[in-house]
């Protein structure tokens, strides 16, 4: 029976785990996800075509480079600690004040997307190490909200021996 994937129930972020594994603790849940803002795309593997002088057409096709899987989302929950996690700045809970870093950089986080239930199953996408950056999106208007925006790319983690591990994967879990 085919398994469908329908909508996003949650997005969670955490500091990257040890030795390329998904972390088991430290997850922060992103809430109030803006409609139609979540994307995930896996670019195809680049192909290197080998041609030779004395024969027409392509003689061999070899694997080339590939970019990491890319994703993005927006949340209208402008929560201080979440902003600090995504943007890399500092949050003062007493003053309720966020300061953006003078020298922002790429932030590496583990990411987990979980779909809405469909026919008793949820789809859970896991990215052990994503290189990402965030911003503030949308207009200051009376008909909408500004949002934290985040875009990232899966990178290839390594285990303790330095061997490359899967940059992303998914599983189906029972809906509860």
């Amino acid at each position: 029976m085919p398994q469908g994937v329908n909508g996003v129930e949650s997005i969670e972020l955490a500091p990257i785990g040890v030795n390329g594994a998904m972390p088991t603790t430290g997850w922060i849940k992103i809430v109030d996800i803006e409609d139609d803002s979540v994307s995930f795309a896996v670019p195809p593997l680049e192909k290197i075509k080998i041609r030779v002088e004395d024969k027409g057409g392509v003689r061999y096709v070899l694997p080339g480079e590939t970019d990491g899987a890319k994703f993005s989302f927006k949340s209208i929950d402008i929560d201080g600690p979440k902003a600090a996690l995504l943007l890399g700045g500092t949050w003062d809970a007493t003053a309720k004040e966020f300061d953006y870093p003078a020298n922002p950089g790429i932030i590496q986080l583990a990411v987990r997307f979980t779909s809405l239930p469909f026919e008793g199953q949820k789809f859970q996408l896991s990215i052990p190490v994503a290189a990402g950056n965030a911003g503030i999106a949308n207009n200051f208007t009376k008909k909408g909200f500004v949002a934290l925006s985040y875009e990232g790319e899966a990178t290839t983690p390594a285990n303790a021996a330095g061997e490359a591990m899967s940059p992303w994967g998914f599983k189906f879990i029972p809906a509860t």
Side-chain angles (χ1 to χ4, degrees), residues 68-101:
K70 293 176 177 57
F71 64 92
S72 64
F73 62 84
K74 290 182 194 174
S75 169
I76 63 170
D77 178 27
I78 310 291
D79 178 64
K82 290 174 188 172
L85 176 71
L86 295 174
L87 294 161
T90 57
W91 171 249
D92 181 331
T94 304
K96 295 188 180 232
E97 185 175 345
F98 172 78
D99 286 319
Y100 188 71

